[in-house]
């Protein structure tokens, strides 16, 4: 049964001596707003970590497959949906657009069997066996740092050379790592009960898995490049109704984060003060998941 309440949520997480999300257009350095100096992390990066958590803890469980991962071509998965539903494959152009019965059946199969389709949606209209386009009930904004970030390029050396010619020179090879000494990031998201009921069927169990995925998204994703990353807070606003009882912006403003000393660069979570206005609009319940 699909969820019956709308949700909005706020995540606070930090990075210490690491690169939380490299920018390919900037030599894989941490992403930064060139005008303000604030750092940001893409929604795609955050959803990838949630997908990875779900795949780890729900591996082999029916209905909790992950669509977006580098195992097989997406079109082959769409064709599989047609085959499992007993539909005619390679029928491109003969199905009458995204609203045809075959496309709907294939789309429903994908929603039932793939957690990330149920949660985040997917564009599945490529190839010969279209499964349509699903707008996911769970949406996450870009994360943004609470203070301007200081990107440092650290020179590193390695003794292992890549070619025989370089080995003969005996010279140590030089490399580079880009990192942030410290940054606290804030990301905001939404869960639409209306879309869950209309299309994907996102359930209460799916929703609880989402919260667990957010809380633990960095715990099984550690690497030397990303440094020390930690989810600090997860605030969830639960609406009494399907369509919601308050604008999300009003709720997000209830969570304020400020520096204790404006003239001192932050180097720890304790350098910030998180203030929560607990006077909620009617029909809203604030839940601190972390």
């Amino acid at each position: 049964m699909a969820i019956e309440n709308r949700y909005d949520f706020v995540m606070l997480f930090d990075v210490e001596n690491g690169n939380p999300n490299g920018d390919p257009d900037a030599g894989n350095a941490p992403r930064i707003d060139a005008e303000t100096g604030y750092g940001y992390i893409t929604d795609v990066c955050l959803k990838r970590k949630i997908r990875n958590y779900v795949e780890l803890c729900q591996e082999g469980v029916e209905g909790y497959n992950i669509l977006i991962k580098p195992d097989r071509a997406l079109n082959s998965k769409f064709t599989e949906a047609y085959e499992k539903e007993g539909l005619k494959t390679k029928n491109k152009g003969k199905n009458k657009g995204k609203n045809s019965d075959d496309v709907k059946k294939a789309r429903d199969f994908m929603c039932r069997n793939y957690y990330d389709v149920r949660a985040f949606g997917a564009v599945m209209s490529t190839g010969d066996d279209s499964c349509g386009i699903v707008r996911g009930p769970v949406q996450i904004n870009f994360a943004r740092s609470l203070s301007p970030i200081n990107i440092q390029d650290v020179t590193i050396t390695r003794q292992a050379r890549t070619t025989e010619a370089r080995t003969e020179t005996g010279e140590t090879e030089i490399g580079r790592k880009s990192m942030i000494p410290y940054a606290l990031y804030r990301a905001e998201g939404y869960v639409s009960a209306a879309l869950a009921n209309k299309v994907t069927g996102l359930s209460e169990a799916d929703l609880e898995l989402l919260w667990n995925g957010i809380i633990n998204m960095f715990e099984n994703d550690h690497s030397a490049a990303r440094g020390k990353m930690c989810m600090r807070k997860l605030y969830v606003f639960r609406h009494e109704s399907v369509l919601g009882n308050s604008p999300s912006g009003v709720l997000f403003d209830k969570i304020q984060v400020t520096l204790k000393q404006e003239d001192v660069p932050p180097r720890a979570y304790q350098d910030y003060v998180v203030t929560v206005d607990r006077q909620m609009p009617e029909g809203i319940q604030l839940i601190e998941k972390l």
Side-chain angles (χ1 to χ4, degrees), residues 27 77 97 116 129 131 159 193 201 203 216 219-220 248-249 272 290:
K77 298 178 183 180
D116 54 340
D129 304 307
C131 294
Q159 292 181 328
S203 67
N216 295 287
E219 297 307 311
N220 295 285
S248 58
Y272 288 90
L290 183 64

Side-chain angles (χ1 to χ4, degrees), residues 23 30-40 149 151:
D23 185 352
R31 297 181 187 271
I32 186 172
D33 182 337
E35 292 184 328
T36 64
Y38 284 79
Y40 66 93
I149 63 173
I151 299 176

Side-chain angles (χ1 to χ4, degrees), residues 11 47 49 66 79 90 125 127 136 182 193 214 227 229 238 260 276:
M11 299 179 276
K47 288 188 288 187
K49 298 181 191 306
I66 297 298
T79 298
K90 299 189 183 301
S125 55
Y182 181 82
I214 291 173
M229 296 194 69
R238 182 181 185 273
K260 289 181 180 179
V276 181

Side-chain angles (χ1 to χ4, degrees), residues 32-82:
I32 186 172
D33 182 337
E35 292 184 328
T36 64
Y38 284 79
Y40 66 93
I41 297 173
T42 65
D43 60 316
V44 175
C45 174
L46 299 176
K47 288 188 288 187
R48 175 75 270 154
K49 298 181 191 306
I50 296 172
R51 286 184 170 101
N52 290 346
Y53 173 81
V54 171
E55 186 172 24
L56 276 174
C57 70
Q58 298 291 101
E59 187 175 8
V61 179
E62 185 177 357
Y64 288 90
N65 297 315
I66 297 298
L67 176 67
I68 306 300
K69 64 178 184 177
D71 58 342
R72 292 188 290 146
L74 291 177
N75 289 350
S76 69
K77 298 178 183 180
F78 305 153
T79 298
E80 181 182 55
Y82 274 69

Side-chain angles (χ1 to χ4, degrees), residues 3 7 20 37 46 66 72 165 239 246 267:
I3 59 173
Y7 294 84
L46 299 176
I66 297 298
R72 292 188 290 146
H239 299 250
S246 173
R267 286 297 182 267

Side-chain angles (χ1 to χ4, degrees), residues 251-268:
L251 303 179
F252 293 153
D253 287 344
K254 298 288 185 180
I255 312 297
Q256 296 293 326
V257 185
T258 56
L259 268 174
K260 289 181 180 179
Q261 301 182 58
E262 290 288 344
D263 57 340
V264 178
R267 286 297 182 267

Side-chain angles (χ1 to χ4, degrees), residues 213-247:
I214 291 173
I215 291 170
N216 295 287
M217 67 164 65
F218 303 119
E219 297 307 311
N220 295 285
D221 190 61
H222 295 298
S223 77
R226 282 187 284 277
K228 178 183 174 184
M229 296 194 69
C230 182
M231 184 62 62
R232 295 294 185 173
K233 288 291 184 180
L234 173 58
Y235 298 98
V236 176
F237 300 95
R238 182 181 185 273
H239 299 250
E240 285 186 353
S241 66
V242 169
L243 296 179
N245 300 82
S246 173

